[in-house]
Amino acid sequence: MITKIKNLGPGLLFAGAAIGVSHLVQSTRAGADFGLGLLWALLLVNLFKYPFFQFGPRYATATGESLLDGYRKLGKGVLITYFILNIATMFTIQTAVTIVTAGLASSLFGNFISVQVWTVVIIMICFSILILGKYKLLDKIMKVIVLTLTISTIAAVLMAFSNTSNPISMKQILPSNSLEIAFLIAFMGWMPAPLDVSVWQSLWAIEKNKDTKNYSPKSALFDFNIGYLSTIIIGIGFLLLGALVMFNSGETFSNSAGVFSSQLINMYAQSLGNWAYYIIAIAAFTTMFSTTLTTLDASPRAMNKSIELLFETSFKYGYLSWIILLALGTISIFFFLASEMGLLIKIATILSFITAPFYAIINYKLISSRHTPKEWRPSRELHILSWLGIIFLVGFSIWYLTTL
């Protein structure tokens, strides 16, 4: 057990990447608008996405190579499709998470500098951690961050329960009009994370094995399950916070990063008491900082690996070049679209859900193929869950597209 705990890393990085906009923004809004009426959606999408995320560390530790290497074996067209989808979403996703983080930093540490300046500061801090400390420092920092956000979120939920006398309705809701359906798809699009994070997980698993030399498939699956369970618990926590503190409050959230962050934290403080302000603020900020940090690492890592596989050569400064490009692109988009945070998040989350069937199908095809050692291919139960998951993701995507 001690060895398993020491080997925790990529699973917590997954949690850090997943617990972000989907939890702080989307789960909170789901609770504020529907109470606990969308709890079914949160649990169902976590269940049906589980196998496809799990296939990342499973494949990487069983074969010693990333999912991207596997995609190349399935055909160059699969890898090219991944590259195009990733280049289309990476800047929007990074900007969306950084905008929210900057807004929270302004609320927590003071607005003595603008949200725009906070954006640059946060990007530079994350950039420095990744370039100077590399994977080892990222691994260590995320253990502290995930522990902090878990404790602070649970504390906030307990405080919310102790400060409310209203009965909690467990009545579940199926959205009916176009706006509600769009929100449902956006909510599930990033819950707990976009499916392409499975690629990141496989890359982190390879890095972890380089570091420890004993990151086996069993260790990887234990690590992943801990991280995945954390994302579900914290997702339910933010849903509860939205339902307990904001449901039927009449509050309309702003699309401005700074205003939204202040509204969010102040509503909690008004309901729970000013003494709770910093607990809520710390929970919110660590949630978003972890996502900003892990996303800034993972997208360049994945893009560099994709380019190397497509051109069958290595690039000495490939990772550095991509991380610089992503940082500059994020800052540029932010300065032009800072007031459109809500639109950016909506575009990114819906695009993530619509592309989810692609990742689900190729991950399942790869893990079930001859490219994976037989003993680490899915069990019958995991096969069945995978089929149901593919049907679920394809069905909901078609449902959304037909309601546009």
Side-chain angles (χ1 to χ4, degrees):
M1 180 57 72
I2 294 176
T3 301
K4 285 184 177 180
I5 293 174
K6 285 183 178 180
N7 278 338
L8 291 178
L12 298 183
L13 288 176
F14 169 84
I19 303 168
V21 171
S22 61
H23 293 63
L24 180 65
V25 179
Q26 302 295 71
S27 291
T28 301
R29 279 182 163 164
D33 293 344
F34 299 94
L36 296 183
L38 293 184
L39 179 61
W40 67 270
L42 186 152
L43 296 176
L44 205 61
V45 77
N46 274 283
L47 173 65
F48 285 137
K49 282 187 176 181
Y50 171 79
F52 311 115
F53 283 122
Q54 193 230 62
F55 294 158
R58 179 188 285 262
Y59 181 81
T61 50
T63 63
E65 61 184 29
S66 71
L67 283 180
L68 293 174
D69 294 279
Y71 292 173
R72 181 64 182 86
K73 290 179 178 179
L74 292 178
K76 198 171 184 178
V78 174
L79 189 58
I80 291 173
T81 302
Y82 168 80
F83 181 86
I84 293 171
L85 289 176
N86 205 39
I87 199 75
T89 59
M90 61 184 285
F91 293 100
T92 303
I93 290 173
Q94 188 68 51
T95 303
V97 299
T98 308
I99 281 176
V100 182
T101 309
L104 290 166
S106 179
S107 297
L108 180 59
F109 301 112
N111 56 0
F112 56 93
I113 56 177
S114 67
V115 173
Q116 286 84 353
V117 176
W118 270 120
T119 301
V120 177
V121 170
I122 289 167
I123 286 290
M124 292 311 298
I125 290 173
C126 293
F127 180 87
S128 300
I129 289 172
L130 297 173
I131 295 302
L132 299 177
K134 303 188 185 308
Y135 176 82
K136 282 187 177 181
L137 183 58
L138 176 65
D139 186 273
K140 291 177 181 178
I141 287 175
M142 287 311 303
K143 289 176 181 176
V144 176
I145 288 177
V146 171
L147 180 63
T148 301
L149 72 88
T150 301
I151 292 173
S152 54
T153 302
I154 291 174
V157 172
L158 292 175
M159 287 188 295
F161 267 115
S162 65
N163 280 271
T164 184
S165 57
N166 298 324
I168 299 176
S169 172
M170 293 298 294
K171 181 181 178 181
Q172 298 303 291
I173 299 169
L174 181 64
S176 55
N177 64 55
S178 58
L179 288 177
E180 290 180 346
I181 292 172
F183 175 80
L184 175 65
I185 296 300
F187 176 51
M188 294 194 295
W190 268 5
M191 179 55 65
L195 270 184
D196 56 317
V197 174
S198 60
V199 173
W200 305 356
Q201 178 80 352
S202 71
L203 292 167
W204 287 325
I206 298 297
E207 290 299 318
K208 182 69 175 182
N209 198 42
K210 289 178 184 178
D211 186 29
T212 65
K213 305 299 182 184
N214 61 351
Y215 193 63
S216 66
K218 286 186 178 179
S219 297
L221 293 179
F222 174 80
D223 177 24
F224 173 73
N225 287 334
I226 292 293
Y228 202 78
L229 183 61
S230 299
T231 67
I232 296 173
I233 292 172
I234 293 175
I236 294 172
F238 278 110
L239 186 72
L240 281 167
L241 284 171
L244 293 169
V245 177
M246 301 179 186
F247 187 49
N248 289 330
S249 67
E251 183 77 15
T252 301
F253 287 110
S254 170
N255 280 334
S256 168
V259 177
F260 169 84
S261 302
S262 296
Q263 282 180 308
L264 188 70
I265 297 174
N266 287 331
M267 282 193 71
Y268 285 134
Q270 289 168 11
S271 176
L272 306 178
N274 290 328
W275 56 275
Y277 179 91
Y278 286 103
I279 293 177
I280 298 295
I282 290 170
F285 179 75
T286 52
T287 294
M288 290 312 308
F289 183 79
S290 69
T291 307
T292 304
L293 178 62
T294 50
T295 304
L296 190 64
D297 171 76
S299 289
R301 196 180 292 276
M303 295 305 287
N304 180 53
K305 183 66 176 178
S306 299
I307 287 291
E308 289 182 343
L309 289 169
L310 287 172
F311 291 94
E312 299 180 358
T313 187
S314 60
F315 298 93
K316 185 177 181 181
Y317 299 108
Y319 172 75
L320 177 62
S321 300
W322 277 106
I323 199 172
I324 291 173
L325 179 62
L326 181 56
L328 292 177
T330 298
I331 292 171
S332 299
I333 292 173
F334 181 82
F335 275 95
F336 287 106
L337 298 172
S339 62
E340 299 299 329
M341 182 192 71
L343 178 61
L344 283 174
I345 292 174
K346 185 177 179 180
I347 291 171
T349 51
I350 290 175
L351 191 58
S352 294
F353 192 88
I354 291 174
T355 58
F358 167 77
Y359 292 107
I361 292 169
I362 60 172
N363 284 4
Y364 175 68
K365 183 177 180 180
L366 179 61
I367 204 71
S368 305
S369 71
R370 60 183 174 82
H371 303 301
T372 304
K374 192 172 183 179
E375 63 269 27
W376 291 109
R377 293 174 195 170
S379 63
R380 184 176 65 177
E381 293 77 14
L382 204 52
H383 273 298
I384 293 172
L385 183 58
S386 298
W387 297 335
L388 292 173
I390 290 171
I391 293 170
F392 171 81
L393 293 171
V394 171
F396 261 88
S397 295
I398 294 173
W399 181 45
Y400 172 68
L401 292 173
T402 57
T403 58
L404 288 176

